[in-house]
Amino acid sequence: MSLQLITGQSTNFAVEKPTLSSLFRRQPIERLAPGFAVFWEGDEARNIFEVVEGMLRVYRILNDGRRVILGFVRPGDLLGVSLKGHYLYTVEAITPVELRRLPKHHFESLSEREPHLKEQLFSKLCDEMAAAQDQMVLFSRRSAEEKLAGFLLLMARGHVRNRRMLIDLPMTRLDIADYLGMTIETVSRTITKLSGCGVIATVERRAIALMNMDALIALAGGELEDSSFRQAYDRRHAMA
Amino acid sequence: MSLQLITGQSTNFAVEKPTLSSLFRRQPIERLAPGFAVFWEGDEARNIFEVVEGMLRVYRILNDGRRVILGFVRPGDLLGVSLKGHYLYTVEAITPVELRRLPKHHFESLSEREPHLKEQLFSKLCDEMAAAQDQMVLFSRRSAEEKLAGFLLLMARGHVRNRRMLIDLPMTRLDIADYLGMTIETVSRTITKLSGCGVIATVERRAIALMNMDALIALAGGELEDSSFRQAYDRRHAMA
DNA sequence: CGCTGATTTGACAAGGTTCAAGCGAAGTGG
DNA sequence: CCACTTCGCTTGAACCTTGTCAAATCAGCG
């Protein structure tokens, strides 16, 4: 009787199929100070990570010393999801970060018995893939204004419904520049310009207020980067 | 006795676990003329395709009418690998194309019994992911020269070992431009420029000879885009 | 041969990079 | 507590690449 009560109360310990997130929830939280790396490009890929708190940058260093930022990672995102033997990029904390580590072999042996775990990972990878393609679209924007507007909308995530909102930009201008493929000067100038138009307002160094969401979306080319919105898209060219 | 002989000879019909490619090989070949689409962005994603022959372009049309080419697809590549309910892009034949179609539900019911099929698809998706990231790096190159050099190396695939080689470019200049995020004029000018340096030579409209592979690699930033090469990369920054 | 569509080439302007300097906030050490 | 340094960010000016517009050239095809 009493045992039933307990299991009834704390559903976390109910005997259910383990989900990906329940697997992670069993792992202890690890903390990382800004500037420190979770792993380096080329490291043997032994773990998968789930970000619990904070923001990180994913990047590669090219031969000529240039740094290309492939993306920013936030709570809920997974890191190191790949069958490759080595990590394909470096991941570094921007803010103080909390994450959980899951050894790959651990996941693999478990997913032998629980195929739906693979399913979930697969689904995550598909999301990541879609996000990567969205980013390629973002990159292909020509002007600095379009790129930055797109970037800000990306950082606003799904909250585009609100006409006004405040977004955190914990990364430096250099991070943004290396992400969008421009220079810090152009990033800075463009932010100044958008502030001048009243589209955005710089609240603090690392926070920006989106003052006129419609204008921002229009500047970004009218396209919502968030692929969840594109689902409802009508096929304009089906008859072309 | 005779039965054993037969199964011994034609290993294709041996009672083995079906692989992804053996699954596809059972499907009839479908042909597609240049300019025709395999599927459209937004279509319900009912099938997975394997390209057998030819080249296709993968693209999205933005609100403002601009076309962004996300990639080119060649024999051996899969199309429509995703758990999304709808295709995220349009795929169109550039050359005459041969492909095989596999209904998604068919694959799914099969992979229930044969988990390693999912494994293979997962692996493919990982490859695609890595390729997408390579492309983001390619995009982030600044000058038109770097981008085009990188693009040519990408089209040369793994054949970078040869000091000289001939590559097909069945796509138009506009395709290349929409892929690299530049204009046809710049693409054309850059090709002319590289020809002038003796790095490449335009054999035909749709074929280019790579005359000096080392110079081309240097122009592309010294980085080999093909991720299979990067595997062997040493970690320069592990001690930073 | 004359059409059409793709490609190349030229001239010019716009926008972004580069180089250089100034600003402002945070942290350090006297 | 106040110089002093540092780092990230902004701003300015000159230069250069690329986009734009326009025209010429080329290739394929009826």
Side-chain angles (χ1 to χ4, degrees):
Chain A
M1 268 285 275
S2 65
L3 218 155
Q4 279 195 347
L5 261 174
I6 290 170
T7 57
Q9 279 179 326
S10 57
T11 53
N12 279 348
F13 298 114
V15 188
E16 288 173 355
K17 286 185 174 183
T19 62
L20 204 51
S21 45
S22 76
L23 261 182
F24 273 110
R25 238 175 288 133
R26 281 182 217 158
Q27 305 299 118
I29 286 208
E30 301 180 34
R31 282 166 222 279
L32 211 62
F36 283 82
V38 181
F39 53 77
W40 301 87
E41 174 184 352
D43 276 1
E44 204 183 324
R46 286 206 191 86
N47 303 290
I48 307 171
F49 298 87
E50 184 190 44
V51 178
V52 176
E53 185 57 49
M55 184 175 281
L56 307 95
R57 61 185 151 241
V58 177
Y59 68 85
R60 247 187 235 168
I61 302 285
L62 306 189
N63 276 348
D64 58 7
R66 244 178 343 194
R67 184 186 65 161
V68 179
I69 292 201
L70 297 168
F72 299 101
V73 171
R74 285 182 287 194
D77 293 332
L78 297 187
L79 282 172
V81 178
S82 161
L83 288 182
K84 307 277 174 189
H86 297 259
Y87 294 121
L88 297 175
Y89 41 72
T90 301
V91 178
E92 217 172 76
I94 294 176
T95 65
V97 158
E98 295 178 4
L99 38 77
R100 300 182 202 265
R101 173 196 307 257
L102 191 62
K104 221 173 185 178
H105 65 85
H106 192 237
F107 172 82
E108 270 157 17
S109 61
L110 244 172
S111 64
E112 284 299 317
R113 279 168 288 155
E114 308 278 356
H116 66 284
L117 279 178
K118 264 180 200 156
E119 198 80 33
Q120 283 183 47
L121 198 64
F122 188 71
S123 165
K124 267 277 182 192
L125 194 62
C126 285
D127 290 346
E128 238 183 86
M129 191 73 208
Q133 287 178 342
D134 283 346
Q135 187 181 338
M136 281 175 1
V137 171
L138 178 59
F139 262 39
S140 77
R141 310 284 192 175
R142 304 216 158 127
S143 75
E145 235 171 58
E146 279 182 316
K147 282 187 190 176
L148 197 73
F151 170 71
L152 291 176
L153 288 176
L154 198 63
M155 289 298 117
R157 290 244 214 182
H159 304 261
V160 188
R161 307 268 162 181
N162 314 18
R163 290 200 7 84
R164 298 177 162 205
M165 66 174 294
L166 194 67
I167 57 174
D168 269 347
L169 292 183
M171 69 288 287
T172 69
R173 300 284 187 262
L174 186 59
D175 287 334
I176 301 175
D178 285 350
Y179 179 66
L180 296 176
M182 21 196 243
T183 60
I184 33 173
E185 289 95 332
T186 306
V187 171
S188 180
R189 269 186 259 270
T190 310
I191 289 178
T192 308
K193 195 169 162 190
L194 292 185
S195 300
C197 306
V199 178
I200 64 173
T202 57
V203 180
E204 284 180 315
R205 266 279 170 72
R206 301 294 171 83
I208 279 187
L210 310 186
M211 304 301 286
N212 185 342
M213 196 63 80
D214 297 335
L216 197 64
I217 291 172
L219 275 176
E223 193 97 352
L224 291 171
E225 300 302 333
D226 195 328
S227 58
S228 58
F229 284 90
R230 204 180 33 255
Q231 301 279 345
Y233 240 61
D234 58 330
R235 282 167 278 151
R236 276 149 301 165
H237 299 267
M239 300 294 124
Chain B
M1 265 291 274
S2 67
L3 217 155
Q4 278 195 347
L5 260 174
I6 290 170
T7 58
Q9 279 179 326
S10 56
T11 52
N12 279 347
F13 298 114
V15 189
E16 288 172 354
K17 286 185 176 183
T19 62
L20 204 51
S21 45
S22 76
L23 260 183
F24 272 111
R25 238 176 285 133
R26 281 182 219 158
Q27 306 297 120
I29 286 208
E30 301 181 34
R31 282 166 223 280
L32 211 62
F36 283 82
V38 181
F39 53 76
W40 301 88
E41 174 186 353
D43 276 1
E44 205 184 323
R46 287 205 191 86
N47 303 290
I48 306 171
F49 298 87
E50 184 189 45
V51 179
V52 175
E53 184 58 48
M55 183 175 283
L56 306 95
R57 60 185 152 241
V58 177
Y59 69 84
R60 243 187 240 169
I61 302 285
L62 305 190
N63 276 349
D64 57 8
R66 242 176 349 192
R67 185 185 66 163
V68 179
I69 292 199
L70 297 168
F72 298 101
V73 171
R74 286 183 286 195
D77 293 332
L78 298 188
L79 283 172
V81 179
S82 161
L83 288 183
K84 307 277 174 190
H86 296 260
Y87 294 121
L88 297 175
Y89 40 72
T90 301
V91 178
E92 217 172 75
I94 294 176
T95 66
V97 158
E98 295 178 5
L99 38 76
R100 299 182 202 265
R101 173 196 307 258
L102 191 62
K104 223 172 184 180
H105 65 85
H106 191 238
F107 172 82
E108 269 157 16
S109 61
L110 245 171
S111 64
E112 284 300 317
R113 280 167 289 157
E114 308 279 356
H116 66 285
L117 280 178
K118 264 181 200 155
E119 198 79 34
Q120 284 183 47
L121 197 65
F122 188 70
S123 166
K124 268 276 181 190
L125 194 62
C126 285
D127 290 347
E128 238 183 85
M129 192 72 209
Q133 286 177 344
D134 283 346
Q135 185 181 339
M136 280 176 2
V137 172
L138 178 58
F139 261 38
S140 77
R141 310 286 192 175
R142 297 203 167 145
S143 75
E145 234 171 58
E146 280 183 315
K147 281 188 190 174
L148 197 73
F151 171 70
L152 292 176
L153 287 176
L154 198 64
M155 289 296 117
R157 290 243 213 184
H159 304 261
V160 189
R161 308 268 163 181
N162 314 15
R163 290 202 6 84
R164 297 176 164 207
M165 65 174 295
L166 193 68
I167 58 174
D168 270 347
L169 291 183
M171 68 290 286
T172 68
R173 299 284 187 260
L174 186 59
D175 287 334
I176 301 175
D178 285 351
Y179 179 66
L180 296 176
M182 21 196 244
T183 61
I184 32 172
E185 290 95 330
T186 306
V187 171
S188 179
R189 267 186 263 269
T190 311
I191 290 179
T192 308
K193 194 169 163 191
L194 292 185
S195 301
C197 306
V199 178
I200 64 174
T202 57
V203 180
E204 284 178 318
R205 264 281 168 69
R206 302 294 170 83
I208 279 187
L210 309 187
M211 304 300 286
N212 186 343
M213 196 63 80
D214 297 335
L216 197 64
I217 291 173
L219 275 176
E223 192 98 350
L224 291 171
E225 299 303 331
D226 195 328
S227 58
S228 59
F229 283 90
R230 205 180 33 252
Q231 300 279 344
Y233 239 62
D234 59 329
R235 279 168 280 153
R236 277 150 301 165
H237 300 265
M239 300 294 124

